[in-house]
Amino acid sequence: MEVKAQMEISDAEWEVMRVIWTLGSATSHTVIEALSEKMGWKAATTKTLLGRLMKKGALTAKKNGRAFTYFPEIPEQEAMDVATISLFDHLCQMRAGATLTALADHVSLSQTDIANLQKLLTEKAKTAPEKVSCNCLPDDCHCQ
Amino acid sequence: MEVKAQMEISDAEWEVMRVIWTLGSATSHTVIEALSEKMGWKAATTKTLLGRLMKKGALTAKKNGRAFTYFPEIPEQEAMDVATISLFDHLCQMRAGATLTALADHVSLSQTDIANLQKLLTEKAKTAPEKVSCNCLPDDCHCQ
DNA sequence: TAAGTAAGTTTACGTCTGTAATTTAAAAGT
DNA sequence: ACTTTTAAATTACAGACGTAAACTTACTTA
């Protein structure tokens, strides 16, 4: 048995995971219900996604009479951190700060979120550089 | 002619865009060179991606002798903002704050980035709620 | 002018995704 | 026990993606 270094979860699969994460665990019936309402999906669609997530190792299932109850194999926060960090790692690092600011402006943040962020930023400011360089071209690119 | 509300740019296509954004504009030769070095891609791969980006309207080209010079149709910062915001919009909004903090911890931020973020946070703190609620289940879900 | 080279275009091909219908199997009701 | 329901597994299928070879066309160079 091996731990998946990083598993790719597609957009549609995320919706399934979110339901299960929020409820802790769920039967296919519950997930089908929720996504039929939230996304307008047919039962078969949700079943396919549950199957793919099992195959990827993102979910496990315990038999419960006729049906299965599905459990997440990774915590939601960790999955979110990995997804967003790996997106940022593929974009221009020089612009990460501006992008983060646009994000912070867009999302809803609680007082606690803001306090935590502020503390972190104060800490980072102690060693932050004056400028972050662009990493979009190969290191020894003549064209830059 | 119509402006694309939002165009999807794939991971591989992002690499092409980054080169062109960084240089302002570039010939296919330049892009091929850069990505051969940075990504190990064959010329044909980069050519395919340039073609797909033209078709999507992410790039335009001006003929220049035998070759074309490619220009980005959208600014890099805008593309980054859209990409990251639309990712966040598909994840649990209750956890966006923690995720943003993980991101802020991970990326390199300049002094200016930090100052801008801090100013924004101070402003947001004035009206921020005590708690942000989860939006992973349909509004009227009985299971919650 | 013929040959070589480089740019762009077309075709390829397996995998992943979104979206689902169909089939199989098991449980529950009559 | 037979039928109806429902869960799970199998099959489907078009479009996007990563990755590239092959073909075509137009300069450049001998």
Side-chain angles (χ1 to χ4, degrees):
Chain A
M1 169 160 48
E2 43 179 305
V3 177
K4 285 282 151 49
Q6 43 90 57
M7 71 188 111
E8 292 292 324
I9 294 178
S10 77
D11 283 352
E13 288 163 359
W14 267 99
E15 290 299 332
V16 173
M17 292 303 293
R18 289 175 67 184
V19 172
I20 298 174
W21 274 320
T22 300
L23 298 174
S25 69
T27 61
S28 68
H29 177 72
T30 304
V31 181
I32 286 169
E33 259 314 294
L35 294 179
S36 156
E37 232 178 292
K38 188 181 179 206
M39 307 295 289
W41 289 346
K42 297 294 164 74
T45 300
T46 300
K47 286 181 189 179
T48 299
L49 296 171
L50 283 169
R52 288 181 184 168
L53 287 164
M54 291 280 299
K55 183 172 303 174
K56 289 185 182 183
L59 292 176
T60 45
K62 314 262 182 268
K63 190 148 230 154
N64 172 286
R66 64 201 170 268
F68 283 120
T69 298
Y70 296 90
F71 297 82
E73 268 303 287
I74 28 155
E76 182 170 24
Q77 190 61 58
E78 187 181 316
M80 287 178 66
D81 292 352
V82 168
T84 57
I85 286 176
S86 72
L87 172 60
F88 268 72
D89 283 349
H90 289 148
L91 306 184
C92 179
Q93 97 188 339
M94 191 178 67
R95 295 175 184 274
T99 308
L100 206 65
T101 306
L103 260 183
D105 193 25
H106 174 78
V107 303
S108 299
L109 297 174
S110 71
Q111 294 289 345
T112 310
D113 291 332
I114 292 175
N116 288 340
L117 259 169
Q118 269 171 331
K119 178 187 302 192
L120 172 70
L121 291 175
T122 303
E123 206 51 43
K124 285 203 106 176
K126 292 182 190 164
T127 60
E130 214 50 54
K131 184 160 171 48
V132 175
S133 60
C134 170
N135 63 339
C136 294
L137 297 179
D139 283 342
D140 52 345
C141 191
H142 298 295
C143 43
Q144 193 156 204
Chain B
M1 173 161 45
E2 43 179 302
V3 178
K4 285 283 152 46
Q6 42 90 54
M7 70 188 111
E8 292 290 325
I9 295 179
S10 77
D11 283 351
E13 288 163 359
W14 267 99
E15 290 298 332
V16 173
M17 293 302 294
R18 289 175 68 184
V19 172
I20 298 174
W21 274 319
T22 301
L23 298 173
S25 68
T27 61
S28 68
H29 177 71
T30 304
V31 181
I32 286 169
E33 260 314 293
L35 294 179
S36 156
E37 232 178 293
K38 188 181 179 206
M39 306 295 288
W41 289 346
K42 297 293 163 76
T45 300
T46 300
K47 286 180 188 181
T48 299
L49 296 171
L50 283 169
R52 288 182 184 166
L53 287 165
M54 292 281 299
K55 183 171 301 172
K56 288 183 183 183
L59 292 176
T60 46
K62 314 263 182 267
K63 190 148 230 154
N64 171 288
R66 64 198 168 268
F68 283 121
T69 297
Y70 296 91
F71 297 81
E73 267 304 287
I74 27 154
E76 182 170 23
Q77 189 61 57
E78 187 180 316
M80 287 179 65
D81 291 352
V82 168
T84 56
I85 285 176
S86 72
L87 172 61
F88 268 72
D89 284 348
H90 289 147
L91 305 185
C92 179
Q93 97 188 340
M94 191 179 68
R95 294 174 185 275
T99 308
L100 207 64
T101 305
L103 260 183
D105 194 24
H106 174 79
V107 302
S108 300
L109 298 174
S110 71
Q111 294 289 345
T112 310
D113 292 331
I114 292 176
N116 288 340
L117 258 169
Q118 268 171 332
K119 179 188 300 191
L120 172 71
L121 291 176
T122 303
E123 206 52 44
K124 285 204 105 173
K126 292 183 189 160
T127 60
E130 213 51 54
K131 184 160 171 48
V132 175
S133 60
C134 170
N135 63 339
C136 295
L137 296 178
D139 284 343
D140 52 346
C141 190
H142 298 295
C143 42
Q144 191 154 205

